[in-house]
Amino acid sequence: MKIKNAIFFGKRMLTDFNENKHLTICPDNKNSKLSCYYFVFEEDKINTRGGNHPFLFDAQGIPQVHSYIDVVDTKGYFYYPITIGQYALAVFHTWLKTQDPDKKAYFLRFADWFMDKRTDDPMLGTYWLTETAKPEYGVNTPWKSAFAQSRAISVLLRAWQLTGDKTYLETATRALIPFTKDITSGGVSVDREKGETFYEEYVAAKPTRVLDGHGFCLFGLYDYIRAVPESVNPNGHALAQQLFDEGVEGLIRQIPKFDMGFWSRFNRCDLPGYPQDDPCTIGYLRLVRQQFLILHGLTGREELHTFSEKFRHYDRIPNILKMYRHKFRALKKLNRL
């Protein structure tokens, strides 16, 4: 198992140098008519990530993702809402380019998947669960994810605008509710009481604070602000704006805590035994700094531009070598090598 893991992470390291060098950014991310997502995903590229198993598609064309390399007892293929949402957006991008009615129908099957797989709760709103385990966070039961909420919102709002079917909008609105609650109360946020609201990609027993996951959550919330004006749903619009503003302020206050002085941490995890310094990969650093640039364009907050430039200057060989030394120690501590 350890040899297999070492080979897996070795392959990932080799592909990492070229990862996210040329991300395509949507030029129009403020229009109320939702077009391309903030990053322009492409169907063929999503399914060819280095080191991962290829997707397994079900009869409706919904991709299933193989379990993580360090999952032992429940290996296999699972529906993974975060990835399903990303693939849905890639299909939507194909439809935007081609206007192919088959692609439109395919995209709407993704929206219907989110409708079918949702859980509705009178107190916790609408949410989606991921069933594959996350051993590094001690998560072995189906788990919530603010990132999955965000992906669902972005997909459902586009389906609503395509079809006029208000059930998509109503579900997207209820999907805002988990963002309002702490993970200790069945929600997907942490640190609100400190004025540093952070939305959790992986909801565990303690905060895990994955940096890019929080950024993607803000994109989903901003999609709602753009697409749903006060005239359509005043309460939903106001809530999405509040959650977005809280999340942006939380991000700005927390970014310095991710800064290692030469690189960025992948997360800031409070679980016992989790390494304090778990640096992100090269591709991840490039992704996050682009998220900061997009959010700077949406908010005008100069702190985001400053940190984007800082992270850009970190992306050089001496820092990369130093990062990998820290990464190796973190993987060893997590028993992943």
Side-chain angles (χ1 to χ4, degrees), residues 61-77:
I62 307 301
Q64 295 172 281
V65 179
H66 199 274
S67 52
Y68 289 94
I69 186 70
D70 46 359
V71 172
V72 177
D73 297 328
T74 55
K75 282 189 177 299
Y77 279 88

Side-chain angles (χ1 to χ4, degrees), residues 41 58 81 94 106 127 140 169 184 207 211 239 282 299 315-316 326 335:
F41 304 127
D58 69 13
T94 303
Y106 188 19
Y127 56 88
N140 297 303
L169 171 59
T184 59
L211 186 54
L239 179 56
I282 304 168
T299 66
D315 189 357
R316 52 194 183 92
H326 283 265
N335 201 32

Side-chain angles (χ1 to χ4, degrees), residues 224-294:
Y224 194 99
I225 295 166
R226 294 163 57 193
V228 188
E230 291 180 271
S231 58
V232 172
N233 189 324
N235 292 333
H237 180 89
L239 179 56
Q241 186 72 65
Q242 175 190 333
L243 294 169
F244 178 79
D245 291 344
E246 283 184 6
V248 169
E249 187 63 33
L251 175 63
I252 289 169
R253 293 189 182 190
Q254 294 224 28
I255 294 173
K257 301 175 185 179
F258 285 86
D259 188 2
M260 299 175 69
F262 68 97
W263 205 257
S264 172
R265 293 177 175 86
F266 169 70
N267 60 11
R268 293 180 49 249
C269 182
D270 289 353
L271 289 165
Y274 199 95
Q276 181 179 357
D277 290 333
D278 182 10
C280 66
T281 60
I282 304 168
Y284 182 100
L285 184 80
R286 293 167 182 162
L287 172 68
V288 167
R289 81 169 200 85
Q290 290 293 340
Q291 285 184 327
F292 293 171
L293 282 180
I294 294 169

Side-chain angles (χ1 to χ4, degrees), residues 8-20 49-50 210-212 260 262-267 278-289 311 314-316 319-321 323-324 326-328 331 336:
F8 172 81
F9 286 113
K11 287 181 178 179
R12 291 299 299 269
M13 185 175 71
L14 290 174
T15 60
D16 192 28
F17 281 92
N18 293 317
E19 190 81 4
N20 291 334
R49 308 284 286 189
V210 175
L211 186 54
D212 81 306
M260 299 175 69
F262 68 97
W263 205 257
S264 172
R265 293 177 175 86
F266 169 70
N267 60 11
D278 182 10
C280 66
T281 60
I282 304 168
Y284 182 100
L285 184 80
R286 293 167 182 162
L287 172 68
V288 167
R289 81 169 200 85
F311 283 11
Y314 284 166
D315 189 357
R316 52 194 183 92
N319 291 351
I320 290 170
L321 295 175
M323 174 273 289
Y324 276 127
H326 283 265
K327 192 68 176 177
F328 179 80
L331 291 170
R336 302 185 82 184

